Amino acid sequence: MPNRALQRSNKASTFAMLVAFAVLLAVFIFSYNRYFKLDSDRAKSSAQFKEQIKAEKLFNTYNELQIAQLQSSFVKEKVPVLQFQALLDSCQRIISDLEIDFKDNPTQLNHLSRLQGQQDSLLKAYTKLDLVVSAENSNSLDVRRIFKEMNTILSSIDATKDKIIAEQQRNVTQSEEKVKQSNRIYAILFFAAGFISLLISILAFTRIIKDNKHIVNTTEFLESVLEATEEIANLYLPVYNENGEVIDFKIEYASKANENITKFKAEKLRGVLVSKAFPFLKSTGELDRLINCFNEQVPANDILDFKIFKEQRYFWVRYFPSKNNVKVLVSDVTENKMYAANLERLNTELEMSNSLLNEAEKIASMGSYIWNLDKDQSVLSDNVYRILGYKKEDMDMSAEKFKMFVHEDDLAEYEEHVQNAFDLKKPLDFNFRGIKKSGKEIHLYTHGVFDDTQEERVMIGVIQDISKQVRLNKRLLNQNNSLLKKNTELESFNRVASHDLQEPLRKVQMYLSRILEGNQEEALPERKLAYVNRAMDACSRMRVLINNLLSFSRIDKRGEVFEKVDLNDVLTGLINDYSIKLEETNSEIILGELPVVRGIPFQLEQLFSNLISNAIKYRVKERGVTIKIESDFIQQEVAMNDGLIVTTDYHLITVADNGMGFDNDKREKIFDIFQRLHQKHQYTGTGIGLAICRKIVGKHRGKIYASSTLGQGATFTIELPVTS
């Protein structure tokens, strides 16, 4: 049952109980009134009874007068005056009392008034009788007439008496009927009220029991929720000193989450003082703040930091005071605080990044845009306006308005590219000419892509001023044309070198060899023979130099076809070619598993042949040389980016030997053409071999570098791009 429904149920139950109480109170009031009513009825009945007694006494007195009058008529004597007067006085007193008793009964008062008149008439008749009887010449006829008059008056008094008695009897009967009817009505009302009160009480009590059961279930559920949540929920009862001041709180309830900030178990916290369970509240002054919150009955909340278990933590604390307790909710917001701090740091970094981006856009003459094609709205960076010679506040830009800055000769092509990008949903990527505010012609490059996450057609892209690049490209194109011309001249030189230079060299070698034919070698003086041998060696070196130069110049020759090359096959062939040399020098080649690369087969063969030849040449004579050729795989973020394409992965191939090595400071110099680390009389060579290696690797979009320790060998590392 939701809280509002429960509140309505509690209100309804309370209202029902109040109704039952009101009904019972009404029954009590009715009973109390009925009690006094019955007492009043009893008093009234008693009064009526007394009235009836008085009336009977009055009428008995009148009867005595009548009897006395009858006796007087029989004996022909009057009633004694004193007796008659005493009877009349007694009647008058009774009439006076009855007038008081009948003050609320007009009928009876009329009867008493008539009776009073009749009594007065009777007194007058008696007075006449007394005068007649006392007279000396009394006449018996007059006496009888007066007796008769008195008898008539007494008869009328008797009739009035009957009316008074009848009226009194009627009043008594009505009063009894009213009492009986009232008793029946009150009995029914009391029964109905009692039944309704009992029924309402039973229903309300049943509802209260049901609601209490629900409250118990809800309380158990809330406790289970509080036990499961990480939020601390506590209920504190105030602890007073002898002066009635709050000095501490006793924990009435503590959720399980308290165990995260205290050494106590949750069930052990109940009944413990707050200052004992959480001593850091007292030392930080937070307990005083809690006491003040309770005293002022004002809710409070704050973010507090405490050092708990030697760790700085942040809590969101809320106090909800009431008259008898304080409800406390505490949330550990350490992670949120750290997140907020990180967010603030990231916002700062983002502001710096945006600032750097703006500066980068200025440096690169580049700007960014967002085009909403359906609404023809755009968001442009400041540098787009700057490129066009405007300020951002000068105009509102859109995709349609931007066309006014496109050169009229390129406008048709511009619209065609844009339309194709819209229709085919492909990226926008082309160059075009633009016109600045000053009228100056500029060259622009744009690249844009559609944002698939938007329901509307939205393109995000960049615009770059490439005017400088266009001018540089034109200059570079002119230089390339000049280089092509020079390359043509070099190719002519290569042909001359390969034929015209080698032809005289062959003749020199031929003539020198003929000098040494037969016995002519013995006939020559030793000094001249040495000259001839030196000339032969010079011719051999000259031939090798010419061949190496031809090889070096041919590496950049266009038209060679790149194909898949299995380096395992290349190295296996080279090992066979060098088998005799390896055996003669007590050397060996240890070959690992090598990759398949895309390249020019004969150039890759020349690359590894030069490295193997150098390793054998610069070996330690006493022990020969061991050459290890191995391969590994490196991802793009690890590959060296000096001249490499870092958007791909690379094969890393190492050629390591244990030869004489070289000074590591010379690791770059050895790749320069004609650079030698030793004298010609020490080691033969032209100084072109490693230069050829670097040029071959460069043509294969790779990199070669070396490292060495003098006397411990050298390692040449080759990085070649991975191709699918």
Side-chain angles (χ1 to χ4, degrees), residues 488-670:
T488 303
E489 294 174 355
L490 284 174
E491 288 179 2
S492 299
F493 170 77
N494 287 338
R495 287 193 297 271
V496 172
S498 62
H499 183 269
D500 296 346
L501 290 180
Q502 290 194 53
E503 182 60 25
L505 187 60
R506 282 195 298 270
K507 289 182 179 181
V508 171
Q509 286 180 315
M510 181 182 70
Y511 291 140
L512 289 174
S513 63
R514 287 183 179 180
I515 292 174
L516 300 177
E517 287 180 355
N519 295 325
Q520 294 184 27
E521 184 177 351
E522 297 177 358
L524 288 173
E526 183 178 350
R527 188 174 181 181
K528 291 183 179 180
L529 182 60
Y531 289 154
V532 172
N533 287 331
R534 288 181 183 180
M536 289 290 288
D537 290 339
C539 288
S540 297
R541 289 197 303 275
M542 183 66 176
R543 183 177 296 278
V544 172
L545 178 60
I546 291 172
N547 289 333
N548 286 340
L549 284 172
L550 287 173
S551 298
F552 187 78
S553 64
R554 286 171 180 168
I555 292 173
D556 290 330
K557 184 178 179 181
R558 298 181 181 180
E560 291 90 348
V561 177
F562 278 71
E563 57 185 75
K564 288 185 178 180
V565 180
D566 190 341
L567 295 183
N568 295 288
D569 296 339
V570 172
L571 268 299
T572 301
L574 288 174
I575 291 173
N576 290 332
D577 293 342
Y578 281 94
S579 59
I580 296 176
K581 188 69 173 176
L582 292 171
E583 186 176 349
E584 290 176 352
T585 58
N586 192 26
S587 300
E588 64 173 336
I589 297 176
I590 300 174
L591 188 63
E593 184 67 28
L594 300 178
V596 175
V597 298
R598 190 170 183 80
I600 304 170
F602 79 89
Q603 289 187 2
L604 293 174
E605 183 177 349
Q606 185 177 5
L607 166 65
F608 288 101
S609 177
N610 288 356
L611 294 176
I612 292 172
S613 176
N614 276 0
I616 294 174
K617 182 190 299 184
Y618 298 108
R619 70 188 183 278
V620 178
K621 307 294 184 184
E622 295 78 12
R623 66 170 183 261
V625 66
T626 298
I627 305 169
K628 291 184 178 180
I629 303 176
E630 299 175 319
S631 174
D632 199 358
F633 175 83
I634 53 175
Q635 295 180 337
Q636 54 181 325
E637 62 268 17
V638 182
M640 295 185 66
N641 59 4
D642 185 9
L644 297 182
I645 301 174
V646 294
T647 57
T648 186
D649 300 327
Y650 283 83
H651 294 296
L652 187 144
I653 303 165
T654 57
V655 180
D657 64 63
N658 61 346
M660 59 186 301
F662 57 85
D663 187 352
N664 200 51
D665 293 339
K666 306 275 186 9
R667 62 184 180 275
E668 285 297 322
K669 184 179 179 182
I670 61 176

Side-chain angles (χ1 to χ4, degrees), residues 51-67 90-91 94-95 98 102 108 111-112 115 118 154 156-166 168:
E51 291 168 358
Q52 191 169 357
I53 291 175
K54 290 179 181 179
E56 291 293 337
K57 185 177 180 181
L58 173 63
F59 298 135
N60 288 335
T61 304
Y62 284 133
N63 286 334
E64 288 180 11
L65 283 173
Q66 192 172 15
I67 292 169
S90 177
C91 288
I94 294 172
I95 288 173
L98 287 176
F102 291 156
Q108 293 287 59
H111 293 322
L112 288 178
L115 186 63
Q118 293 169 348
L154 287 173
S156 61
I157 288 174
D158 191 50
T160 301
K161 176 197 74 173
D162 292 339
K163 290 180 180 180
I164 291 174
I165 291 174
Q168 187 69 14

Side-chain angles (χ1 to χ4, degrees), residues 294-318:
F294 176 78
N295 289 334
E296 295 183 359
Q297 289 291 296
V298 177
N301 74 91
D302 202 356
I303 301 292
L304 306 174
D305 60 308
F306 301 108
K307 203 162 190 176
I308 299 174
F309 303 139
K310 299 182 179 180
E311 179 185 358
Q312 195 71 23
R313 295 167 68 180
Y314 296 87
F315 298 92
W316 180 29
V317 181
R318 286 93 77 201

Side-chain angles (χ1 to χ4, degrees), residues 144-190:
R144 283 196 298 273
R145 180 179 57 82
I146 293 171
F147 270 119
K148 185 177 181 180
E149 182 181 352
M150 290 178 65
N151 187 45
T152 300
I153 293 171
L154 287 173
S155 295
S156 61
I157 288 174
D158 191 50
T160 301
K161 176 197 74 173
D162 292 339
K163 290 180 180 180
I164 291 174
I165 291 174
E167 178 66 19
Q168 187 69 14
Q169 189 65 37
R170 187 178 65 81
N171 289 336
V172 171
T173 302
Q174 287 181 350
S175 179
E176 289 178 353
E177 286 297 326
K178 287 182 179 180
V179 170
K180 290 179 181 179
Q181 185 177 3
S182 177
N183 288 339
R184 285 195 298 271
I185 292 173
Y186 276 111
I188 293 172
L189 287 175
F190 291 160

Side-chain angles (χ1 to χ4, degrees), residues 298-450:
V298 177
N301 74 91
D302 202 356
I303 301 292
L304 306 174
D305 60 308
F306 301 108
K307 203 162 190 176
I308 299 174
F309 303 139
K310 299 182 179 180
E311 179 185 358
Q312 195 71 23
R313 295 167 68 180
Y314 296 87
F315 298 92
W316 180 29
V317 181
R318 286 93 77 201
Y319 301 140
F320 302 96
S322 62
K323 288 186 177 181
N324 301 318
N325 56 61
V326 178
K327 290 171 277 296
V328 180
L329 294 178
V330 182
S331 302
D332 190 341
V333 294
T334 304
E335 292 186 3
N336 294 341
K337 190 74 174 179
M338 296 298 103
Y339 175 78
N342 290 333
L343 185 60
E344 184 177 356
R345 177 180 57 80
L346 290 174
N347 286 334
T348 303
E349 292 178 356
L350 182 59
E351 290 178 0
M352 294 179 61
S353 298
N354 289 333
S355 177
L356 291 174
L357 179 60
N358 290 331
E359 292 300 319
E361 284 189 352
K362 291 180 183 178
I363 295 171
S365 297
M366 181 182 294
S368 58
Y369 62 81
I370 301 176
W371 285 350
N372 187 317
L373 307 176
D374 293 330
K375 297 181 179 179
D376 193 26
Q377 296 175 349
S378 65
V379 178
L380 306 180
S381 66
D382 294 347
N383 211 43
V384 173
Y385 294 93
R386 194 177 294 111
I387 290 172
L388 298 175
Y390 287 86
K391 293 182 179 179
K392 190 170 184 178
E393 58 270 15
D394 290 345
M395 62 183 304
D396 293 329
M397 188 67 72
S398 67
E400 191 64 29
K401 288 182 180 179
F402 186 79
K403 292 180 182 179
M404 63 184 290
F405 300 101
V406 180
H407 195 285
E408 59 181 3
D409 294 340
D410 292 354
L411 183 57
E413 183 181 359
Y414 173 87
E415 291 180 339
E416 182 181 356
H417 280 291
V418 173
Q419 191 61 44
N420 287 338
F422 294 166
D423 295 340
L424 303 177
K425 294 290 184 180
K426 68 177 184 179
L428 192 67
D429 194 288
F430 66 96
N431 301 338
F432 62 97
R433 287 177 293 172
I435 304 297
K436 296 183 68 171
K437 182 180 180 181
S438 62
K440 181 180 178 181
E441 180 181 311
I442 57 175
H443 291 266
L444 300 174
Y445 162 76
T446 181
H447 178 82
V449 294
F450 283 97

